[in-house]
Amino acid sequence: MTENFSLEAALKHQDKALQAIAEKVINKQRLTDEEGVLLFEKGELGFVGALANHVRERMHSDKVYFNRNFHIEPTNVCVFTCNFCSYSRQYKHRDEGWELSIEQMLDIVRKYDGQPVTEVHIVGGVHPKMNLEFFCELISKIRAHRPDLHIKGFTAVELDYMFRKAKLTVEEGMQKLKDAGLQSMPGGGAEIFHPEVREQICADKVDADGWLLIHETAHKLGMHTNATMLYGHIENYAHRVDHMSRLRALQDKTGGFNCFIPLKFRNKDNDMSNVPESTIIEDLRLYAIARLFMDNFANLKAYWPMLGRQSAQLTLSFGVNDLDGTIDDTTRIYSMAGSEEQTPSMSTEDLCDLITAVGRVPVERDTLYNEIKVYADAPLA
Ligand code: V47
Ligand code: SF4
């Protein structure tokens, strides 16, 4: 006789507190910060993974999203000095870095003429001479050249600097960029919000409240944004939960976040190279716990250029439903920090193979998660 599988029954052997968490998750109840910390302290991989997989399936069935995108990194010259950054160069050493002109960036956009990309992702260092006016001109020229391309650009760190230099409020600055054609914002610059950590890893850039205010203002103006968390360095479990809790609270208020993206700290050639990188077990546990805790974020993204494609594929069994995009070897941030992906590029076929190999259905999406194409007949690789 075969017994019906029951998730509750399968999780019965766990200790009482973990079992209570499992029951809450199954009953769609929100986890508290204390329960989040407990999951990090005691939840072994199989336990948090099974629960996160259940939640992912409940939200997205078998679908895994990706998009066709490319990046523009205007410069790696930066006024800030984040200790984890392997990418930036100080202004006085700018001859070692790059500074693209508007024409050079438009050439990158033109390279994709006739190709079915739907998004350009613009992110870079904070250059003291690339100001709001410069970026408004860039955006309006991209928009004029290719109106159907969604422009997702600028972390809250870049925007905070631009707006302060232009002596504008966040709302005035965001409105200017929106009028120029900016449609959404990436999630970078969040790192770890808690000041105990932030002061040690990126003391001189926008703080948690500033980051959250910029995203809240973008949401108020009708723009969607993403949120990241740089994990696996000097932060403890409570810092991670505090970070996710602040994002969850803002999402309750605005509903403007598209997805949550945990970013694994990579330690090559930066001022934190002495800090070991997290293990794959810790990575997968983190993705799973994020899926359980961030109950009002529809999408959990594994950013494969940072994590490496094989690890990203594994996360699909631990709560992840989004693999970002094709990228087309247009970003250097992660290869310079030591990622396995030294020339990050995947064709649509590569992404579909990666997804079907774990029994899921690849779905091409646009930036706002509208479905463009469901690859329903893709065979198991
Ligand atoms: O804020 C920098 C991270 C972020 C390292 O919204 C590092 O779709 C690990 O914003 N090890 C910028 N991470 C990237 C970013 C992003 C990336 C992918 C998708 C999206 C999105 C946004 O890169 C920075 C920082 O957290 N970073 N150095 C490093 N050594
Ligand atoms: Fe500059 Fe961003 Fe690097 Fe920090 S992470 S130094 S803000 S480029």
Side-chain angles (χ1 to χ4, degrees), residues 16 21 24 36 42 51 57 77 94 97 109 123 144 150 210-211 217 232 251 270 293 335 361 378:
K16 286 267 178 301
I21 292 178
K24 280 182 89 172
K42 287 190 169 181
L51 274 176
E57 203 165 274
V77 173
R94 63 190 181 281
V109 176
V123 68
H150 184 108
W211 190 99
T217 307
Q251 180 75 328
N270 57 47
F293 192 81
S335 50
V361 177

Side-chain angles (χ1 to χ4, degrees), residues 150 183-186 218-219 222-226 255-258 368:
H150 184 108
Q183 288 157 293
S184 58
M185 273 174 63
H219 298 170
M223 293 162 78
H224 283 84
T225 73
N226 293 337
F257 286 115
N258 270 336
L368 303 178

Side-chain angles (χ1 to χ4, degrees), residues 101-157:
S101 65
I102 290 184
E103 215 26 60
Q104 285 172 313
M105 293 190 261
L106 287 172
D107 277 344
I108 299 177
V109 176
R110 288 188 201 105
K111 227 181 83 191
Y112 292 91
D113 285 356
Q115 292 190 38
V117 289
T118 59
E119 174 189 285
V120 55
H121 177 152
I122 305 173
V123 68
V126 180
H127 193 294
K129 303 238 158 96
M130 290 181 176
N131 58 17
L132 183 62
E133 217 178 303
F134 174 88
F135 284 118
C136 284
E137 184 182 338
L138 170 70
I139 288 167
S140 55
K141 286 188 167 161
I142 296 176
R143 172 84 29 274
H145 177 73
R146 189 159 175 183
D148 63 318
L149 192 65
H150 184 108
I151 305 177
K152 176 176 97 181
F154 314 118
T155 64
V157 174

Side-chain angles (χ1 to χ4, degrees), residues 121-282:
H121 177 152
I122 305 173
V123 68
V126 180
H127 193 294
K129 303 238 158 96
M130 290 181 176
N131 58 17
L132 183 62
E133 217 178 303
F134 174 88
F135 284 118
C136 284
E137 184 182 338
L138 170 70
I139 288 167
S140 55
K141 286 188 167 161
I142 296 176
R143 172 84 29 274
H145 177 73
R146 189 159 175 183
D148 63 318
L149 192 65
H150 184 108
I151 305 177
K152 176 176 97 181
F154 314 118
T155 64
V157 174
E158 295 165 273
L159 296 178
D160 170 67
Y161 185 83
M162 265 185 238
F163 299 161
R164 282 191 291 114
K165 254 204 140 164
K167 297 195 173 19
L168 293 178
T169 63
V170 172
E171 186 147 0
E172 289 164 345
M174 284 307 311
Q175 188 64 55
K176 264 189 184 297
L177 285 164
K178 190 178 176 209
D179 293 344
L182 185 72
Q183 288 157 293
S184 58
M185 273 174 63
E191 323 312 358
I192 288 285
F193 288 143
H194 200 291
E196 275 167 18
V197 177
R198 204 164 185 88
E199 275 157 22
Q200 291 185 65
I201 65 170
C202 55
D204 53 358
K205 72 186 186 188
V206 68
D207 66 7
D209 289 344
W211 190 99
L212 290 163
L213 174 68
I214 288 176
H215 283 258
E216 182 171 356
T217 307
H219 298 170
K220 263 197 216 145
L221 295 178
M223 293 162 78
H224 283 84
T225 73
N226 293 337
T228 58
M229 173 170 76
L230 180 71
Y231 74 90
H233 42 90
I234 59 165
E235 87 287 3
N236 64 30
Y237 294 151
H239 296 133
R240 290 178 182 181
V241 172
D242 170 74
H243 188 93
M244 293 195 288
S245 191
R246 294 189 207 210
L247 291 172
R248 194 173 70 172
L250 181 54
Q251 180 75 328
D252 275 344
K253 201 164 157 190
T254 65
F257 286 115
N258 270 336
C259 72
F260 180 53
I261 315 162
L263 292 171
K264 175 190 173 96
F265 165 66
R266 308 303 310 244
N267 70 2
K268 188 172 165 219
D269 290 340
N270 57 47
D271 290 343
M272 289 168 61
S273 291
N274 59 318
V275 176
E277 292 182 356
S278 58
T279 63
I280 182 70
I281 302 291
E282 272 303 298

Side-chain angles (χ1 to χ4, degrees), residues 55 93 95 131 154 200 253 292 317 333 350-351 359 365:
V55 171
H93 299 303
D95 51 324
N131 58 17
F154 314 118
Q200 291 185 65
K253 201 164 157 190
L292 300 178
S317 299
I333 302 179
D350 292 338
L351 273 161
R365 62 162 174 85

